[in-house]
Amino acid sequence: MQSHAQVVVVGGGVVGCSVLYHLAKSGCTDALLLERDELTCGSTWHAAGGVHTINGDPNVAKLQKYTIDLYREIEQLSGQSTGLHLTGGVMLAATEARFDWLKSMVAKGRYLGIEARIITPARAHELLPLLDPSCFVGALETVVDGHVDPSGTTHAYAKAARALGARIERFTKVEELVQCPDRSWRVVTNKGEIRTQHVVNAGGLWAREVGRMVGREHPVLAMEHMYLITEDIPEVAAINAATSKEVLHAVDFDGELYLRQERGGMLIGTYEKDCKPWAEHETPWSFGHELLTPDIDRIAPSMEVAFRHFPALQKAGIRKVVNGPFTFAPDGNPLIGPVRGLPGYWCACGVMAGFSQGGGVGLALANWILQGDPGFDVWAMDVARYGDWASKAYTNTKVRENYARRFSIRFPNEELPAGRPLRTSPLYERLKAAGAQFGVTAGLEVPLWYAPAGVRDAFSWYRSTDFSTIAEEVRAVRERVGLIETTGFAKYRITGLAASSWLDRLLACALPPPGRMTLAPMLKTDGRLIGDFTLANLGQEGYLLVGSGAAEEYHLRWFHEHLPEDGSVRLSAHATSIAGLAIAGPRARDLLARITTADVSASAFRFMDVRRLPLGLASALVARLSYTGDLGYEFWCDPDYQLPLYEALLAAGADLGIRLFGSRALNSMRLEKAYGSWAREYRPIYSPLEAGLDRFVALEKNAPFIGQESARREHTTGGRLRLRCFVVEVENADVIGDEPIWDADEVRGWVTSGGFAHHAGVSVAMGYVAKEVADRDGPWSIEILGKRHIARLQPRPLFDPEGRRLRG
Ligand SMILES: Cc1cc2nc3c(=O)[nH]c(=O)nc-3n(C[C@H](O)[C@H](O)[C@H](O)COP(=O)(O)OP(=O)(O)OC[C@H]3O[C@@H](n4cnc5c(N)ncnc54)[C@H](O)[C@@H]3O)c2cc1C
């Protein structure tokens, strides 16, 4: 066996073979795949092989489309059939809520290039005569839907990779992974050692075991999954005869079922509620080409629905039941990318739909390894969305929840209960007693809104039970003063001799002088956004950087990649070890003045000033800014002082009419200021120019910063997109995100976020549109739940466009 390779891929399932193929296709022929047994001998060989493009996340949908489009290419290159049958498909809705979801999928498809249309139950019956139309309220018809042969597909990737020069060693088990001082890796196998710059964990069912070789516990868990194959069904033969086609693919969400033709019968799979993890702690190395014992009782409830919804199945005999394990991350999306602290180690794990997603995963990995960037938006799949808080026990409970809900609707206001509470701030019990309804950011409980006694979220696509309360929270801020808990933001401290020069290179903004703050975009070399922060210069105390809590691990990975090795910069992430509170509203200054002896008058403590102040019994770093767009102050303190500070603010603010508010009210207020937020408006596919953050990019600053050249180029070319704000004429459903934006009769953009701006009294959508049309008056419209609504471009912020409240 060779002793060196540029990249070693561990695992010869569909995912590992796709990674190898994409590496070779990108010119990296010094790539070697190691498989401990035969190719496909993990979860790949017993998959049902279903492929489809529809996915709730548009970026995952794009990746699925890419994967399916790729099959013809690898067939041609390899001469190996993937067994691709593009039958087309129907996705069925038995409830109005599901039907609304299907309508939103069709809408997304318009800008993703995914062909899908809404059809009636009668039309669905014409397409799939096995179903009983009276069980459904509507359906979605897709064109790119079908199935592949799992083994043929994997071998097609493998053969195509070999044809391009990559190599595969079977029966070669990786037993140890050791990082060398020069950052290369020793890959120790049962057949000898290999040195490599990059190791890809595509271990599938053994991804945890491979992760443990590098000292990491990846948040993946395998679940048992069953499908059955019926004996021949006369109605299937009749359809084949009448149409000269295979029966098309079907997903019946309310029955938790998927179906397709298999020979003369049907293959029926289900994500049962009564689900069962497999090998919870350790995957046996002896497992390979075995199946698990079927447990028909577990899938019986879904089968009963299947018999009702598809009456022809009632008389069909069962030829075979397959029960096999495959892995999931806590949210069901793949775990891909580099891992902080392990240069050259890459994840391609937790791919639960390897035949729909494996191609895109392989492409992203190859781009990332060879060019330093995945090349498209993989935020939803990035391994860095989980930090150390995603323990084995957390993963276990979330994966079960995710599996059982695989075909359930997740409403935009729905917070899932498993694995909670995990991380809490010191105020958690107090806020809960005050009615806080919590959501979760990186495992931390964050207050969304404060519900009156007896009121809870009613999950819906439409405005719900929180609407009037959020209006009151917003009113309190805009007319008096509101208090919000903000521990959920990520906080980093940067100190050391080279702190300033390092930040100057890392961030695109000009560094603020001591005692001041600035907004700080962070760019990749291609000039696109990899972060947006508030940067505070604390003088002798170094710098404080505040950013998205959900992106903490993601940003830490980037910071660590760029930290000098000589110790001249020290970076610490504070997560919950710095607690946060913030006040906002016209009486915020009066409130602050009541709890401090410091001069906080408008001239003494200006907008974007930051300083440490005594506050009642405690002290805190106080920053004069507010994401509400109003007069406001943020407080950052030791967690020990959060409760006394909270009590001091509430007591001093009582006669000012202080009120607690949560992140939903905050969202409503930032929308009327047209402020963007990370992972919605700001993502690694947009440039600061497109996102409207260019005024914070110091293109001409002396210190060269990462992405400077690209940002300068973009400044000249003007980019492709523009972030815009719209006021939408709606009835009782606001945008959620990912809706298409129409310019007359053409889709020219997509929504990134939105909601009801309570103070302005209008429904708002933010989104990207093509630059050429971005400043047109329209006619614009935005499609919400299957209906196009008139949208008006809102060029100036709806609230305080001159910034008088904010700066006054
Ligand atoms: C019953 C069932 C039905 C399914 N239906 C579908 C479907 O319809 N559509 C769909 O898209 N997906 C389906 N799946 C899921 C699909 O099978 C997986 O998404 C896919 O197989 C994951 O592939 P993988 O390469 O990540 O992992 P695996 O297939 O598990 O491959 C991992 C490989 O790594 C090797 N390996 C691990 N550790 C080492 C080591 N240390 N050294 C060397 N080699 C190692 C293993 O031997 C194995 O071959 C189904 C799964 C099951 C169980």
PDB file of all heavy atoms in Angstrom, residues 42 136 185 249 274 283 285 337 355 375 422 486 497 578 685 689 711 716 770:
ATOM      1  N   GLY A  42     -21.656  -0.400   5.094  1.00  0.00           N
ATOM      2  CA  GLY A  42     -22.249   0.232   6.278  1.00  0.00           C
ATOM      3  C   GLY A  42     -23.742   0.305   6.090  1.00  0.00           C
ATOM      4  O   GLY A  42     -24.405  -0.713   5.865  1.00  0.00           O
ATOM      5  N   PHE A 136     -57.070  13.001   1.292  1.00  0.00           N
ATOM      6  CA  PHE A 136     -56.102  14.092   1.160  1.00  0.00           C
ATOM      7  C   PHE A 136     -56.792  15.397   0.801  1.00  0.00           C
ATOM      8  O   PHE A 136     -57.857  15.406   0.189  1.00  0.00           O
ATOM      9  CB  PHE A 136     -55.068  13.739   0.080  1.00  0.00           C
ATOM     10  CG  PHE A 136     -54.320  12.460   0.419  1.00  0.00           C
ATOM     11  CD1 PHE A 136     -54.656  11.252  -0.199  1.00  0.00           C
ATOM     12  CD2 PHE A 136     -53.329  12.463   1.377  1.00  0.00           C
ATOM     13  CE1 PHE A 136     -54.003  10.068   0.130  1.00  0.00           C
ATOM     14  CE2 PHE A 136     -52.660  11.284   1.723  1.00  0.00           C
ATOM     15  CZ  PHE A 136     -52.995  10.083   1.095  1.00  0.00           C
ATOM     16  N   TRP A 185      -1.034  14.047   9.073  1.00  0.00           N
ATOM     17  CA  TRP A 185      -1.665  12.967   9.836  1.00  0.00           C
ATOM     18  C   TRP A 185      -0.995  11.629   9.534  1.00  0.00           C
ATOM     19  O   TRP A 185      -0.647  11.347   8.385  1.00  0.00           O
ATOM     20  CB  TRP A 185      -3.151  12.860   9.469  1.00  0.00           C
ATOM     21  CG  TRP A 185      -3.942  14.001  10.015  1.00  0.00           C
ATOM     22  CD1 TRP A 185      -4.176  15.199   9.409  1.00  0.00           C
ATOM     23  CD2 TRP A 185      -4.586  14.055  11.285  1.00  0.00           C
ATOM     24  NE1 TRP A 185      -4.932  16.006  10.205  1.00  0.00           N
ATOM     25  CE2 TRP A 185      -5.203  15.333  11.377  1.00  0.00           C
ATOM     26  CE3 TRP A 185      -4.723  13.170  12.359  1.00  0.00           C
ATOM     27  CZ2 TRP A 185      -5.928  15.739  12.497  1.00  0.00           C
ATOM     28  CZ3 TRP A 185      -5.443  13.572  13.478  1.00  0.00           C
ATOM     29  CH2 TRP A 185      -6.041  14.841  13.544  1.00  0.00           C
ATOM     30  N   HIS A 249     -43.211   7.767  -7.274  1.00  0.00           N
ATOM     31  CA  HIS A 249     -42.784   7.846  -5.891  1.00  0.00           C
ATOM     32  C   HIS A 249     -43.818   8.619  -5.096  1.00  0.00           C
ATOM     33  O   HIS A 249     -44.390   9.578  -5.614  1.00  0.00           O
ATOM     34  CB  HIS A 249     -41.464   8.625  -5.905  1.00  0.00           C
ATOM     35  CG  HIS A 249     -40.559   8.269  -4.814  1.00  0.00           C
ATOM     36  ND1 HIS A 249     -40.522   8.967  -3.635  1.00  0.00           N
ATOM     37  CD2 HIS A 249     -39.629   7.295  -4.715  1.00  0.00           C
ATOM     38  CE1 HIS A 249     -39.600   8.441  -2.854  1.00  0.00           C
ATOM     39  NE2 HIS A 249     -39.041   7.417  -3.477  1.00  0.00           N
ATOM     40  N   ASP A 274     -42.613   5.441  17.389  1.00  0.00           N
ATOM     41  CA  ASP A 274     -42.025   4.594  18.430  1.00  0.00           C
ATOM     42  C   ASP A 274     -40.670   4.097  17.908  1.00  0.00           C
ATOM     43  O   ASP A 274     -40.492   2.939  17.573  1.00  0.00           O
ATOM     44  CB  ASP A 274     -42.989   3.413  18.690  1.00  0.00           C
ATOM     45  CG  ASP A 274     -42.439   2.486  19.747  1.00  0.00           C
ATOM     46  OD1 ASP A 274     -41.541   2.906  20.509  1.00  0.00           O
ATOM     47  OD2 ASP A 274     -42.899   1.325  19.799  1.00  0.00           O
ATOM     48  N   THR A 283     -20.537   1.417  17.876  1.00  0.00           N
ATOM     49  CA  THR A 283     -20.936   0.573  16.741  1.00  0.00           C
ATOM     50  C   THR A 283     -19.966  -0.600  16.653  1.00  0.00           C
ATOM     51  O   THR A 283     -18.757  -0.384  16.568  1.00  0.00           O
ATOM     52  CB  THR A 283     -20.882   1.376  15.422  1.00  0.00           C
ATOM     53  OG1 THR A 283     -21.668   2.554  15.579  1.00  0.00           O
ATOM     54  CG2 THR A 283     -21.415   0.569  14.253  1.00  0.00           C
ATOM     55  N   TRP A 285     -17.505  -3.241  15.374  1.00  0.00           N
ATOM     56  CA  TRP A 285     -16.713  -3.335  14.134  1.00  0.00           C
ATOM     57  C   TRP A 285     -17.083  -4.592  13.359  1.00  0.00           C
ATOM     58  O   TRP A 285     -16.818  -4.699  12.162  1.00  0.00           O
ATOM     59  CB  TRP A 285     -15.210  -3.345  14.448  1.00  0.00           C
ATOM     60  CG  TRP A 285     -14.715  -1.997  14.896  1.00  0.00           C
ATOM     61  CD1 TRP A 285     -14.348  -1.652  16.156  1.00  0.00           C
ATOM     62  CD2 TRP A 285     -14.566  -0.814  14.098  1.00  0.00           C
ATOM     63  NE1 TRP A 285     -13.968  -0.323  16.199  1.00  0.00           N
ATOM     64  CE2 TRP A 285     -14.083   0.217  14.941  1.00  0.00           C
ATOM     65  CE3 TRP A 285     -14.786  -0.504  12.758  1.00  0.00           C
ATOM     66  CZ2 TRP A 285     -13.825   1.513  14.493  1.00  0.00           C
ATOM     67  CZ3 TRP A 285     -14.514   0.797  12.310  1.00  0.00           C
ATOM     68  CH2 TRP A 285     -14.047   1.776  13.168  1.00  0.00           C
ATOM     69  N   GLY A 337     -17.435  19.408   7.133  1.00  0.00           N
ATOM     70  CA  GLY A 337     -16.483  20.504   7.251  1.00  0.00           C
ATOM     71  C   GLY A 337     -15.342  20.229   8.200  1.00  0.00           C
ATOM     72  O   GLY A 337     -15.260  19.156   8.797  1.00  0.00           O
ATOM     73  N   PHE A 355     -28.305   9.213  -0.750  1.00  0.00           N
ATOM     74  CA  PHE A 355     -28.533   9.142  -2.201  1.00  0.00           C
ATOM     75  C   PHE A 355     -29.120  10.439  -2.742  1.00  0.00           C
ATOM     76  O   PHE A 355     -28.989  10.738  -3.915  1.00  0.00           O
ATOM     77  CB  PHE A 355     -29.392   7.915  -2.533  1.00  0.00           C
ATOM     78  CG  PHE A 355     -28.635   6.686  -2.130  1.00  0.00           C
ATOM     79  CD1 PHE A 355     -28.827   6.111  -0.886  1.00  0.00           C
ATOM     80  CD2 PHE A 355     -27.632   6.184  -2.938  1.00  0.00           C
ATOM     81  CE1 PHE A 355     -28.065   5.042  -0.472  1.00  0.00           C
ATOM     82  CE2 PHE A 355     -26.854   5.124  -2.531  1.00  0.00           C
ATOM     83  CZ  PHE A 355     -27.067   4.538  -1.295  1.00  0.00           C
ATOM     84  N   GLY A 375     -17.735  26.644  -1.293  1.00  0.00           N
ATOM     85  CA  GLY A 375     -18.161  27.132  -2.607  1.00  0.00           C
ATOM     86  C   GLY A 375     -19.642  27.424  -2.694  1.00  0.00           C
ATOM     87  O   GLY A 375     -20.098  28.012  -3.660  1.00  0.00           O
ATOM     88  N   LEU A 422     -30.993  22.657  28.699  1.00  0.00           N
ATOM     89  CA  LEU A 422     -29.628  22.147  28.759  1.00  0.00           C
ATOM     90  C   LEU A 422     -28.731  23.228  29.367  1.00  0.00           C
ATOM     91  O   LEU A 422     -28.174  23.062  30.434  1.00  0.00           O
ATOM     92  CB  LEU A 422     -29.163  21.779  27.346  1.00  0.00           C
ATOM     93  CG  LEU A 422     -27.720  21.324  27.175  1.00  0.00           C
ATOM     94  CD1 LEU A 422     -27.456  20.063  27.971  1.00  0.00           C
ATOM     95  CD2 LEU A 422     -27.408  21.063  25.702  1.00  0.00           C
ATOM     96  N   THR A 486     -29.832  38.940  27.266  1.00  0.00           N
ATOM     97  CA  THR A 486     -29.076  38.782  26.015  1.00  0.00           C
ATOM     98  C   THR A 486     -27.882  37.841  26.139  1.00  0.00           C
ATOM     99  O   THR A 486     -26.953  37.910  25.329  1.00  0.00           O
ATOM    100  CB  THR A 486     -28.565  40.155  25.540  1.00  0.00           C
ATOM    101  OG1 THR A 486     -27.784  40.717  26.604  1.00  0.00           O
ATOM    102  CG2 THR A 486     -29.677  41.096  25.179  1.00  0.00           C
ATOM    103  N   LEU A 497      -0.301  41.336  23.066  1.00  0.00           N
ATOM    104  CA  LEU A 497       0.467  42.396  22.403  1.00  0.00           C
ATOM    105  C   LEU A 497      -0.003  42.673  20.978  1.00  0.00           C
ATOM    106  O   LEU A 497      -0.039  43.812  20.529  1.00  0.00           O
ATOM    107  CB  LEU A 497       1.947  41.985  22.350  1.00  0.00           C
ATOM    108  CG  LEU A 497       2.758  42.232  23.613  1.00  0.00           C
ATOM    109  CD1 LEU A 497       4.167  41.719  23.435  1.00  0.00           C
ATOM    110  CD2 LEU A 497       2.735  43.751  23.916  1.00  0.00           C
ATOM    111  N   ILE A 578     -19.984  35.280  30.452  1.00  0.00           N
ATOM    112  CA  ILE A 578     -20.365  36.700  30.523  1.00  0.00           C
ATOM    113  C   ILE A 578     -21.877  36.715  30.285  1.00  0.00           C
ATOM    114  O   ILE A 578     -22.342  36.199  29.276  1.00  0.00           O
ATOM    115  CB  ILE A 578     -19.658  37.556  29.450  1.00  0.00           C
ATOM    116  CG1 ILE A 578     -18.149  37.635  29.728  1.00  0.00           C
ATOM    117  CG2 ILE A 578     -20.248  38.963  29.423  1.00  0.00           C
ATOM    118  CD1 ILE A 578     -17.367  38.497  28.718  1.00  0.00           C
ATOM    119  N   ILE A 685     -22.569  33.586   1.599  1.00  0.00           N
ATOM    120  CA  ILE A 685     -22.704  33.705   0.140  1.00  0.00           C
ATOM    121  C   ILE A 685     -22.925  35.153  -0.293  1.00  0.00           C
ATOM    122  O   ILE A 685     -23.016  35.432  -1.482  1.00  0.00           O
ATOM    123  CB  ILE A 685     -23.853  32.830  -0.412  1.00  0.00           C
ATOM    124  CG1 ILE A 685     -25.109  33.039   0.412  1.00  0.00           C
ATOM    125  CG2 ILE A 685     -23.440  31.374  -0.465  1.00  0.00           C
ATOM    126  CD1 ILE A 685     -26.341  32.396  -0.189  1.00  0.00           C
ATOM    127  N   LEU A 689     -21.192  44.461   0.295  1.00  0.00           N
ATOM    128  CA  LEU A 689     -21.841  45.425  -0.600  1.00  0.00           C
ATOM    129  C   LEU A 689     -23.282  45.004  -0.852  1.00  0.00           C
ATOM    130  O   LEU A 689     -24.217  45.808  -0.775  1.00  0.00           O
ATOM    131  CB  LEU A 689     -21.065  45.498  -1.927  1.00  0.00           C
ATOM    132  CG  LEU A 689     -21.613  46.451  -2.965  1.00  0.00           C
ATOM    133  CD1 LEU A 689     -21.470  47.891  -2.500  1.00  0.00           C
ATOM    134  CD2 LEU A 689     -20.900  46.265  -4.303  1.00  0.00           C
ATOM    135  N   ALA A 711     -13.062  42.429  -1.901  1.00  0.00           N
ATOM    136  CA  ALA A 711     -14.044  43.472  -1.557  1.00  0.00           C
ATOM    137  C   ALA A 711     -13.842  44.682  -2.467  1.00  0.00           C
ATOM    138  O   ALA A 711     -14.813  45.314  -2.905  1.00  0.00           O
ATOM    139  CB  ALA A 711     -13.915  43.857  -0.100  1.00  0.00           C
ATOM    140  N   THR A 716     -16.012  47.664  -7.355  1.00  0.00           N
ATOM    141  CA  THR A 716     -15.982  48.141  -8.738  1.00  0.00           C
ATOM    142  C   THR A 716     -17.065  47.468  -9.576  1.00  0.00           C
ATOM    143  O   THR A 716     -17.786  48.109 -10.340  1.00  0.00           O
ATOM    144  CB  THR A 716     -14.605  47.810  -9.374  1.00  0.00           C
ATOM    145  OG1 THR A 716     -13.602  48.140  -8.435  1.00  0.00           O
ATOM    146  CG2 THR A 716     -14.387  48.579 -10.650  1.00  0.00           C
ATOM    147  N   ALA A 770     -32.125  40.786  -7.435  1.00  0.00           N
ATOM    148  CA  ALA A 770     -31.092  41.056  -8.434  1.00  0.00           C
ATOM    149  C   ALA A 770     -30.777  42.557  -8.433  1.00  0.00           C
ATOM    150  O   ALA A 770     -31.687  43.390  -8.368  1.00  0.00           O
ATOM    151  CB  ALA A 770     -31.575  40.614  -9.807  1.00  0.00           C
TER     152      ALA A 770
END
